[in-house]
Amino acid sequence: MNILLGNGDAHLKNWSLVYRDDEIRLVPAYDVVPTFLFGDDTMALEFGNKKRREIMELAMVEGAAKVTGANPKGLLKEARRTVDRALDRWPALLDDMPMPAAMKNRLLERLPTLRLVQEVRPGFTVAANHEDTEDETTVPTFG
């Protein structure tokens, strides 16, 4: 998910898995920020000695499984499932997000550029046609 969202701040404590009944699942997301929207499009952790998100592919997930001792088939299944669910759900979920349309569009536009997305769903495209409403023209502030 961090690859899909462009979260360059995904370090080791931001990746967790649950092993249950011979299945591997990602835990619910936490500390996810699409840092690429703010100019940081590199990954905090290396995969295959690389920190570039566009090179992330399923073979690297399988390699990570071998290094960590996880079941490669289970981890690949979960990676594919996560990408599929994100591609199915995120475009509609962005409609209600309190962020400027330009950011929503950039999030959507980057998805087809990712090798991981094209491996899971070859030829994937998505319409990035959000437009700002009156209350979405500025970046929200919190606190």
Side-chain angles (χ1 to χ4, degrees), residues 47-69:
F47 276 89
N49 297 320
K50 306 280 186 203
K51 287 190 169 193
R52 293 179 19 243
R53 54 93 185 153
E54 68 271 8
I55 57 91
M56 184 64 178
E57 59 189 10
L58 290 173
M60 297 170 103
V61 172
E62 188 173 24
K66 291 175 183 174
V67 168
T68 61

Side-chain angles (χ1 to χ4, degrees), residues 3 5 7 13 20 48-49 56 58 64 67 72 98 103 138:
I3 301 296
L5 283 174
N7 180 14
K13 69 179 184 178
R20 186 178 301 139
N49 297 320
M56 184 64 178
L58 290 173
V67 168
M103 287 183 170
T138 60

Side-chain angles (χ1 to χ4, degrees), residues 43-110:
M43 298 186 304
L45 293 176
E46 290 184 0
F47 276 89
N49 297 320
K50 306 280 186 203
K51 287 190 169 193
R52 293 179 19 243
R53 54 93 185 153
E54 68 271 8
I55 57 91
M56 184 64 178
E57 59 189 10
L58 290 173
M60 297 170 103
V61 172
E62 188 173 24
K66 291 175 183 174
V67 168
T68 61
N71 174 347
K73 287 183 182 179
L75 203 53
L76 281 169
K77 179 181 175 184
E78 181 64 7
R80 286 180 177 281
R81 187 181 78 81
T82 300
V83 171
D84 268 332
R85 289 179 73 186
L87 297 179
D88 288 341
R89 295 177 181 183
W90 287 359
L93 290 173
L94 278 174
D95 289 342
D96 296 325
M97 294 297 294
M99 62 193 303
M103 287 183 170
K104 293 176 184 182
N105 290 334
R106 285 182 61 204
L107 280 165
L108 291 174
E109 289 165 352
R110 80 186 296 279

Side-chain angles (χ1 to χ4, degrees), residues 5-59:
L5 283 174
N7 180 14
D9 190 39
H11 38 81
L12 285 177
K13 69 179 184 178
N14 296 107
W15 293 75
S16 299
L17 301 169
V18 173
Y19 297 85
R20 186 178 301 139
D21 301 326
D22 294 327
E23 284 199 355
I24 300 172
R25 297 280 186 190
L26 285 170
V27 300
Y30 53 92
D31 195 18
V32 178
V33 177
T35 58
F36 90 97
L37 290 172
F38 306 98
D40 179 9
D41 203 15
T42 58
M43 298 186 304
L45 293 176
E46 290 184 0
F47 276 89
N49 297 320
K50 306 280 186 203
K51 287 190 169 193
R52 293 179 19 243
R53 54 93 185 153
E54 68 271 8
I55 57 91
M56 184 64 178
E57 59 189 10
L58 290 173

